Amino acid sequence: MSPLPIVVLISGTGSNLQAIIDAIAAKKINAEIRAVISNKPGVAGLQRARDAGIATHVIEHKQYPDRNAFDAALRDCIDQYQPQLVVLAGFMRILGDGFVQHYPGRMLNIHPSLLPEFPGLDTHRRVLAAGHTQHGASVHFVTPELDGGPLLVQAVIPVQANDTAESLQQKVHQQEHIIYPLAIGWIAEGRVQYENNRIFFDGKPLEKPVQIPACNAY
Ligand code: GAR
């Protein structure tokens, strides 16, 4: 099978991007990152992409009069690379419905919580404030509902008594670096299909996300 062509969108550090680059280099996933696009200039993720020899673009939302104009520029930039999958990896802009509907079943996001719990920002602090004993990360298909699309895979970690927002962020990040390449690998292998807002995994409807217990990596 030829490698799955992907375009990755970032806004910052790009540690998830790095995990995907590394998994491709190690031949753990059969994919090819054709471009990395950031809506912020000068972020570390752009350097990671350049270091890996990947084409980069900056499309600054501030330079566009409104969301539609930004979305159109972003879409044109992505589409010149003809990706089969668009990967949001810490991309912190809300995308318009028209943009999302342009990539039905072809756009993935990673979010630092066990969705549908804690959509939005500041998830680690909110998990602690709510006194939850479990936390984690989710990979989902993107639909117009913010952080609301069908869930493919989640990593679950225990929340310990001495955890802080910072320690949770670190632990969740480590798990993200495992489940995002895993999810992209499944798609590259043709194991995941998406139809009418539903995920099929190995030919069967996925009733709930695949849940991976925390790896003992920390
Ligand atoms: C990740 O924790 C990702 O889950 C989160 O941003 C971080 C990006 O880190 N995304 C969101 O909150 C999207 N709602 P990275 O730039 O090091 O990959």
Side-chain angles (χ1 to χ4, degrees), residues 126-144:
R126 288 159 60 209
V127 163
L128 285 174
H132 284 207
T133 56
Q134 285 198 322
H135 186 29
S138 307
V139 175
H140 66 94
F141 283 95
V142 178
T143 60

Side-chain angles (χ1 to χ4, degrees), residues 37 57 59 69-83 99 102-103:
I37 305 171
H57 296 267
I59 300 186
F70 170 71
D71 283 3
L74 186 59
R75 193 193 56 214
D76 287 349
C77 186
I78 294 170
D79 287 353
Q80 67 181 298
Y81 291 99
Q82 300 187 310
F99 181 94
H102 186 65
Y103 302 100

Side-chain angles (χ1 to χ4, degrees), residues 17 21 36 41-58:
L17 165 68
I21 290 172
V36 169
V43 295
L46 286 167
Q47 190 57 46
R48 292 178 192 270
R50 284 193 288 267
D51 289 347
I54 299 167
T56 60
H57 296 267
V58 175

Side-chain angles (χ1 to χ4, degrees), residues 12-17 89-92 109-112 120 147 173 176:
T13 313
S15 68
N16 278 290
L17 165 68
F91 184 72
M92 303 307 277
N109 184 39
I110 190 155
H111 181 78
D147 298 328
H173 244 143
E176 291 185 340

Side-chain angles (χ1 to χ4, degrees), residues 88-161:
L88 307 185
F91 184 72
M92 303 307 277
R93 291 300 295 173
I94 292 177
L95 296 161
D97 291 5
F99 181 94
V100 171
Q101 279 152 1
H102 186 65
Y103 302 100
R106 293 201 294 133
M107 186 152 54
L108 280 188
N109 184 39
I110 190 155
H111 181 78
S113 79
L114 294 174
L115 290 170
E117 292 180 327
F118 305 104
L121 297 174
D122 209 10
T123 56
H124 312 297
R125 195 194 51 75
R126 288 159 60 209
V127 163
L128 285 174
H132 284 207
T133 56
Q134 285 198 322
H135 186 29
S138 307
V139 175
H140 66 94
F141 283 95
V142 178
T143 60
E145 189 192 344
L146 180 68
D147 298 328
L151 294 160
L152 178 54
V153 55
Q154 295 182 316
V156 184
I157 63 162
V159 178
Q160 278 147 356

Side-chain angles (χ1 to χ4, degrees), residues 5 16 20 24 45 205:
N16 278 290
I20 299 163
I24 292 172

